[in-house]
């Protein structure tokens, strides 16, 4: 919080004022740290005396305050001037104990920091001494609310979760706890003391007045973090370098030496990471990477010579340096939990999407970090221009090596050496059948869960022949989510046992009318929504080329329109689709239609005789004053059929009544062509009571999301996920491929094959689903191998010694899509696994590492493991 001081005529001490933004801050530091520097400062700077404030429970810890704290989650205590609180102090001398702290201005903090810093850590600029990034990484803000209690010459201090992150609030509770031991604060800056001055003009601007009694102050806490204490503890011995699986008692690198006692090497690397506020996603990925054998050995040695600070695609080497420094802290002997503030600040600088304290995806962070480390450590200083060529019938081995050499010519780093593999990509144009083969590098494999690649669809199959009764049968099938319509018809044909002499005609029904026929086998299934209703009409293949007739059912309903009761024709039931075979006149058409419905009693003949054959054809007039009341209501000029009648009219595909009524005894003229004949059938109430029209009154939706959400998900093998990833599938409509053969964008089919596998294989399980309307997390349990992942049967080209891998780390996500928590399981030493839950690290049994929370799996090649064990 920036602040500035105002002129005052009294003698109250005020903070120094200059143009330096850092000087306008109030720093909260250990008093011993400040006192040591102050004693060594020049005499003119040593004149400032601190005003002592001691903590006292007082009324702030009365019964009412305790109740309020339970519900408000606020830490509340009193600060009282030393003169008024000497009677409750056991030691009246201002000391430098661990519970004594100092408030200093930014200028004073820099002066003390300069004294404590040596020549290696200090940097000079035109303005003089400035803090290093490491120093600023040990500073964190803390918001306090101060209320002046003038009658007791004290403050009430309130620290709330509303003003601070959860992690910072927890630190504040430990830092300012007054239950067991009193703390004292010495104000050298004069900011707190100003609050006792009379008049509002004396309130400094770094205080944001929330009310007449309460002021908000931001402190910059320095020198009280775990990373600070860890660094100070290693000041004499420097940073560390050792082999991850080494057994030497003392190993040396260019920057430092670690000498390990008996059994001490077994605890190396078992160091947690503090949660800075929703940074568990970052901690999880970092723990997995900092326990990757090749990377540990690399960053514990002198990696600085390979930093490429001139790479325009890199981060000036800062990401690599921050990661290397963090890894060394985690692998230091006897290290306490590390606060990765410096790494977090670098991450936020180069990847703003990870700034702040919101929850993020550990895999997205991992992808950015691997790419950032690669570019910062890329040994290629000047990348040559290379143009990849298509295979064009050449041997795959030749094309693959060519692509790989092109890749290495521009990319050469420890990440490429350890983590990058190569897969073969084959695209086939659905029109000209052009085949394109390329070989692309990969850093990790993102495997879909089988349930995410398949889609469950429900359709109603109608059996409708020229001489048989019709039946409705719903079928639920599974089709590829990005499949084509031919996949649907193939699966549905199998489900309904379609005969070799039969065919299916699929239509979409909306408001009891057919709005389209799905006939193009190349159409994408993404065009079918979950809320759509589909009907598949079953026909003999001999009748495929026969003209079709579509019957739209209507019944008379009365409803109030503009305050008057008016008749309206309304569509109901499923449209009837039949072949116009041997249909001569209107009577034949009526008989064909009535075969669709099952009579409630044996009155078919009586029904046929009761149908009045009308000899007249009349113009259809619109009912005056009656408007269309909705998309599912048809208003027309038909007379209401008398009891027992069923009338047939020629209409269009939308059910709008035309000018002609079909006469039973007159020939029926059917125009040739592909368009079906649409007939409107008007039912009387007497006919509706005679026939079972409820059978066709409703259709199931393609997919009921609520039903699918409740289905239990069965465990799936990791091999099944890999097979799903490698199977051929059509590209989505948004990923159209430009075919060089037909010179157009096509929805080609794509097939991936593994060609070259890396030493470290990272497998990402795609648990999170995103769409325009919903977000979802799949809790499917993936059964993954721990000791022997055998990929020999999935590799296309046998060019390696071993295709066996062993698991050494897992990034887990527990909870739902909207929240949750990330942890890491890491194999460390012998056959022991450890659970890294932010700052907490504890053993976990091997049997418990498999769970539905497994999100990212880290494997290393078995041959490497065996070699290290022999060493």
């Amino acid at each position: 919080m920036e602040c500035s001081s105002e002129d005052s005529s009294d003698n109250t001490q005020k903070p120094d004022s200059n143009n330096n933004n850092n000087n306008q801050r109030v720093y909260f530091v250990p008093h011993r740290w400040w006192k040591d520097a102050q004693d060594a400062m020049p005499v003119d700077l040593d004149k400032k005396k601190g005003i002592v404030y001691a903590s006292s429970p007082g009324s702030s810890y009365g019964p009412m305050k305790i109740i309020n704290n339970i519900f408000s989650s606020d830490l509340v205590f009193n600060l009282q001037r030393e003169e008024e609180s000497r009677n409750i102090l056991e030691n009246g001398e201002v000391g430098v104990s661990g519970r004594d702290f100092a408030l200093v201005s930014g200028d004073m903090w820099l002066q003390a920091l300069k004294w404590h810093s040596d020549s290696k850590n200090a940097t000079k600029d035109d303005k003089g001494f400035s803090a290093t990034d490491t120093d600023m990484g040990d500073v964190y803000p803390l918001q306090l609310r101060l209320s002046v209690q003038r009658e007791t010459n004290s403050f009430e201090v309130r620290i709330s979760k509303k003003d601070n992150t959860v992690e910072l609030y927890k630190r504040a509770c430990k830092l300012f706890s007054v239950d067991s031991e009193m703390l004292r604060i010495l104000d050298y800056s004069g900011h707190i003391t100003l609050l006792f001055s009379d008049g509002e003009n004396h309130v400094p601007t770094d205080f944001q007045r929330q009310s007449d009694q309460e002021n908000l102050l931001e402190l910059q806490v320095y020198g009280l973090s775990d990373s600070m204490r860890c660094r100070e503890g290693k000041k004499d011995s420097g940073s560390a370098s050792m082999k991850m699986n080494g057994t030497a008692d003392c190993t040396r690198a260019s920057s430092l030496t670690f000498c390990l006692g008996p059994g001490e090497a077994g605890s190396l690397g078992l160091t947690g990471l503090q949660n800075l506020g929703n940074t568990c996603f970052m901690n999880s990925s970092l723990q997995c990477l900092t326990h990757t054998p090749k990377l540990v050995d690399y960053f514990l040695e002198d990696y600085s010579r390979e930093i490429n600070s001139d790479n325009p695609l890199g981060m000036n080497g800062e990401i690599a340096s921050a990661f290397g420094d963090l890894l060394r802290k985690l692998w230091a002997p006897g290290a306490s939990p590390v606060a990765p503030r410096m790494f977090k600040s670098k991450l936020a600088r180069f990847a703003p999407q990870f700034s702040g304290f919101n929850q993020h995806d550990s895999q997205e962070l991992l992808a950015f970090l691997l790419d950032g480390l690669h570019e910062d450590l890329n040994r290629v200083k000047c990348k040559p221009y290379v143009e990849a060529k298509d295979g064009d019938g050449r041997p795959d081995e030749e094309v693959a090596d060519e692509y790989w050499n092109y890749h290495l010519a521009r990319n050469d780093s420890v990440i490429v050496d350890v983590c990058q593999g190569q897969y073969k990509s084959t695209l086939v144009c659905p029109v000209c059948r052009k085949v394109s083969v390329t070989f692309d590098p990969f850093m990790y494999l993102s495997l879909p869960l089988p349930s995410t690649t398949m889609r469950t669809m429900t359709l109603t199959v109608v059996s409708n022949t020229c001489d048989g009764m019709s039946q409705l049968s719903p079928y639920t099938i599974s089709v590829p989510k990005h499949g084509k319509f031919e996949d649907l018809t193939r699966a549905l044909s199998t489900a309904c046992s379609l005969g070799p002499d039969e065919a299916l005609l699929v239509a979409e029904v909306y408001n009891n009318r057919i709005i389209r026929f799905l006939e193009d086998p190349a159409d994408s299934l993404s065009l079918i929504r979950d809320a759509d209703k589909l009907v598949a009409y079953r026909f003999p293949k001999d009748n495929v080329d026969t003209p079709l007739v579509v019957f739209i059912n209507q019944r008379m309903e009365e409803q109030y329109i503009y305050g008057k009761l008016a008749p309206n024709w309304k569509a109901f039931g499923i449209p009837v689709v039949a072949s116009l075979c041997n249909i001569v006149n209107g009577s034949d058409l009526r008989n064909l239609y009535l075969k669709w419905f099952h009579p409630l009693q044996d009155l078919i003949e009586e029904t046929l005789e009761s149908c009045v054959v009308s000899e007249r054809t009349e113009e259809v007039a619109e009912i005056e004053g009656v408007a269309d009341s909705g998309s599912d209501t048809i208003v027309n000029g038909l007379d209401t059929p008398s009891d027992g009648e069923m009338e047939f009219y020629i209409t269009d595909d939308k059910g709008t009544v035309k000018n002609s009524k079909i006469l039973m005894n007159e020939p029926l003229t059917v125009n040739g062509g592909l368009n079906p004949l649409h007939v409107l059938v008007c039912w009387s109430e007497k006919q509706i009571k005679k026939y079972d029209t409820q059978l066709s009154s409703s259709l199931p939706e393609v997919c009921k999301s609520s039903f699918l959400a409740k289905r239990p998900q069965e465990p799936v093998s990791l091999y099944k996920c890999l097979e799903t990833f490698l199977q051929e599938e059509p590209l989505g409509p948004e990923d159209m491929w430009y075919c060089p053969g037909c010179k157009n964008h096509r929805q080609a089919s794509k097939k991936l094959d593994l060609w070259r596998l890396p030493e470290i294989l990272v497998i990402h399980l795609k648990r999170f689903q995103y769409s325009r309307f919903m977000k979802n997390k799949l809790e499917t349990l993936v059964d993954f191998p721990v000791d022997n992942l055998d990929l020999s049967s999935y590799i296309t080209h046998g060019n390696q010694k071993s295709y066996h891998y062993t698991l050494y780390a897992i990034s887990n996500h527990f909870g739902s899509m909207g929240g949750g928590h990330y942890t890491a399981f890491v194999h460390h030493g012998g056959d022991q696994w450890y659970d890294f839950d932010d700052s907490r690290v504890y053993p976990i049994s091997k049997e418990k590492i498999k769970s539905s929370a497994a999100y990212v799996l880290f494997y290393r090649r078995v041959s490497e493991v065996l070699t290290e064990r022999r060493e």
Side-chain angles (χ1 to χ4, degrees), residues 756-798:
R756 181 181 276 107
L757 295 178
E759 292 185 16
I760 300 298
L761 180 63
V762 181
I763 298 179
H764 165 224
L765 302 176
K766 299 172 69 173
R767 292 194 176 276
F768 299 112
Q769 291 181 306
Y770 304 89
S771 68
R772 292 177 55 190
F773 308 103
M774 62 178 295
K775 298 178 181 180
N776 184 38
K777 180 193 175 184
L778 296 174
E779 298 288 351
T780 306
L781 175 63
V782 178
D783 184 12
F784 48 86
V786 176
D787 297 320
N788 186 17
L789 174 64
D790 186 5
L791 299 180
S792 56
S793 60
Y794 298 95
I795 198 75
T796 304
H797 177 63

Side-chain angles (χ1 to χ4, degrees), residues 543-604:
N543 297 336
V544 171
D545 297 329
T546 306
L548 298 178
V549 58
V550 178
F551 296 97
I552 302 176
N553 314 305
Q554 275 193 331
R555 63 186 299 178
M556 177 64 73
E557 288 189 356
E558 291 186 346
Q559 63 185 62
Y560 283 95
I561 302 178
Y562 303 120
K564 295 182 180 181
L565 190 64
N568 285 274
W569 285 106
K570 186 174 182 179
F572 72 95
I574 302 174
V576 177
V577 179
S579 298
L580 284 173
C581 55
N582 301 324
I583 302 301
V584 177
N585 53 29
S587 180
D588 296 333
L589 186 68
R590 180 195 59 194
N591 294 339
L592 177 64
Y593 175 73
L594 288 178
K595 291 180 180 179
W596 166 268
F597 298 96
H598 296 272
L600 294 178
Q601 50 186 320
D602 191 14
L603 295 174
I604 296 181

Side-chain angles (χ1 to χ4, degrees), residues 126-189:
D126 295 337
K127 298 180 180 179
F129 178 81
S130 62
T132 64
D133 289 342
T134 302
D135 294 322
M136 297 307 299
D138 289 317
V139 178
Y140 63 87
L142 195 62
Q143 303 281 349
L144 287 74
R145 294 180 181 269
L146 304 180
S147 300
V148 179
Q149 310 292 329
R150 298 188 182 277
E151 62 277 6
T152 59
N153 204 17
S154 64
F155 295 99
E156 181 183 81
V157 183
R158 182 181 299 271
I159 305 176
S160 174
K161 282 185 179 179
K162 297 179 180 179
D163 302 325
N164 303 275
T165 65
V166 175
E167 180 65 24
L168 295 182
Y169 176 78
K170 291 179 179 179
R171 293 184 185 181
C173 291
K174 296 179 180 180
L175 188 62
F176 293 101
S177 175
V178 296
D179 291 337
S180 58
E181 184 180 357
M182 181 185 65
L183 64 85
R184 286 182 292 188
I185 298 176
L186 289 84
D187 182 16
Y188 291 88
S189 67

